[in-house]
Amino acid sequence: MGVLQRFERRLEGMVSGAFAKAFKADVQPVEIASALQRELDDRAAIVGKGATLVPNRFVVELSAHDFERLAMYAETLGIELAEVVRDHANEQKYQLRGDVEVTFIEVPDLDIGVHRIKSTVVASVTQVAPPEPPKAEPPRPRRASHAREETELIAEPRPVPVATPAPPFLEVNGDRHPLNRPVTVIGRGTQVDLRVDDAGVSRRHAEIHLGPPAVILDLDSTNGTALDGAQVGKAELYDGACIGIGDTVLVYRQPAE
């Protein structure tokens, strides 16, 4: 059974009543599923020996009429269409850089029954956990002393709590990755602090030094590091600065103290 046939079977198990009536609209879910498969095939790019990269984020543009009919089922339909993308990618041995997401939007320039798909590759970004510190050995029990000891109780002042400012962080694809270390190494390899699964990113691509001031430092990467669209070797960071590595954009955020 093919990908589209499995999708239709799952859809038949879900649709009933108003849901089925909505799918009798001018845009059919199977047509969108077929278009997503074509989009994968058309956008497939060879990035290495035996590795073919395809998009993983899709926006389905619909006319106002079709969007209104399918809007209340968009979340369920998006989940099922994402499964179609994963199934087709597995069958064709395509690589997906991150989670698959299919969303719907309304556009004014489309006629009823016409849809359009836009796709992008969004790399997954992973915060690498630091190694756990070694556990301290429990203190050895002391032998009881027969000598009588006199103790003097001294009231110690209680420490006054000091507010700790929130650490800066990188915002990537809507996710926050806190910068808890003085130096954070970013790259595609395993020996980094923030791993970016992007073919255009070097294994050790760049470093962020918190300073002050915080700076971005390129580590002689293959494709370079950009700050607000301009290539840099080393540059100061500020709240809202856009760091470009490969096809991924990381936004530096410095919370107000």
Side-chain angles (χ1 to χ4, degrees):
M1 185 183 297
V3 174
L4 290 181
Q5 287 75 22
R6 293 197 296 270
F7 171 67
E8 286 184 300
R9 287 284 182 87
R10 292 198 304 269
L11 209 60
E12 288 173 1
M14 294 188 309
V15 300
S16 63
F19 198 11
K21 184 178 180 180
F23 283 166
K24 292 177 182 177
D26 301 274
V27 170
Q28 295 292 327
V30 174
E31 294 176 0
I32 299 175
S34 180
L36 288 171
Q37 289 182 317
R38 291 194 301 272
E39 184 73 8
L40 285 181
D41 296 335
D42 293 342
R43 294 287 306 278
I46 299 175
V47 295
K49 186 176 180 181
T52 303
L53 182 65
V54 291
N56 60 311
R57 297 290 173 90
F58 303 86
V59 176
V60 182
E61 298 181 345
L62 301 170
S63 67
H65 171 82
D66 293 320
F67 181 80
E68 182 180 358
R69 283 179 174 265
L70 297 181
M72 65 184 302
Y73 313 109
E75 183 177 355
T76 301
L77 185 56
I79 293 173
E80 291 300 326
L81 289 171
E83 188 66 24
V84 169
V85 171
R86 285 189 289 269
D87 287 348
H88 187 65
N90 289 335
E91 287 190 356
Q92 301 301 320
K93 302 296 189 296
Y94 294 152
Q95 277 193 2
L96 295 163
R97 287 296 186 196
D99 295 335
V100 179
E101 183 177 301
V102 180
T103 56
F104 302 86
I105 63 171
E106 173 188 338
V107 293
D109 65 327
L110 291 181
D111 295 327
I112 296 175
V114 179
H115 63 274
R116 184 167 55 214
I117 293 178
K118 293 185 177 180
S119 61
T120 54
V121 176
V122 178
S124 62
V125 179
T126 308
Q127 191 98 25
V128 180
E132 294 185 1
K135 295 182 179 180
E137 295 184 1
R140 296 181 179 179
R142 299 175 61 186
R143 293 182 178 180
S145 175
H146 295 288
R148 183 177 179 180
E149 297 181 357
E150 295 182 358
T151 58
E152 181 180 0
L153 299 178
I154 301 176
E156 297 182 357
R158 295 183 179 180
V160 178
V162 178
T164 303
F169 60 89
L170 292 178
E171 193 171 36
V172 191
N173 304 328
D175 296 326
R176 293 186 175 190
H177 301 277
L179 301 172
N180 295 318
R181 303 181 180 183
V183 178
T184 298
V185 182
I186 306 170
R188 187 166 50 90
T190 56
Q191 303 299 317
V192 296
D193 303 311
L194 193 65
R195 186 179 302 127
V196 181
D197 190 8
D198 184 329
V201 174
S202 299
R203 294 185 180 278
R204 288 175 59 88
H205 195 105
E207 290 178 346
I208 291 181
H209 296 244
L210 292 187
V215 297
I216 179 73
L217 176 65
D218 184 77
L219 299 178
D220 294 326
S221 61
T222 302
N223 296 317
T225 299
L227 183 65
D228 296 333
Q231 290 286 321
V232 296
K234 181 179 181 181
E236 291 187 13
L237 295 174
Y238 56 89
D239 183 45
C242 293
I243 304 168
I245 58 173
D247 294 322
T248 304
V249 176
L250 307 94
V251 181
Y252 177 81
R253 292 296 186 187
Q254 176 64 62
E257 294 184 2

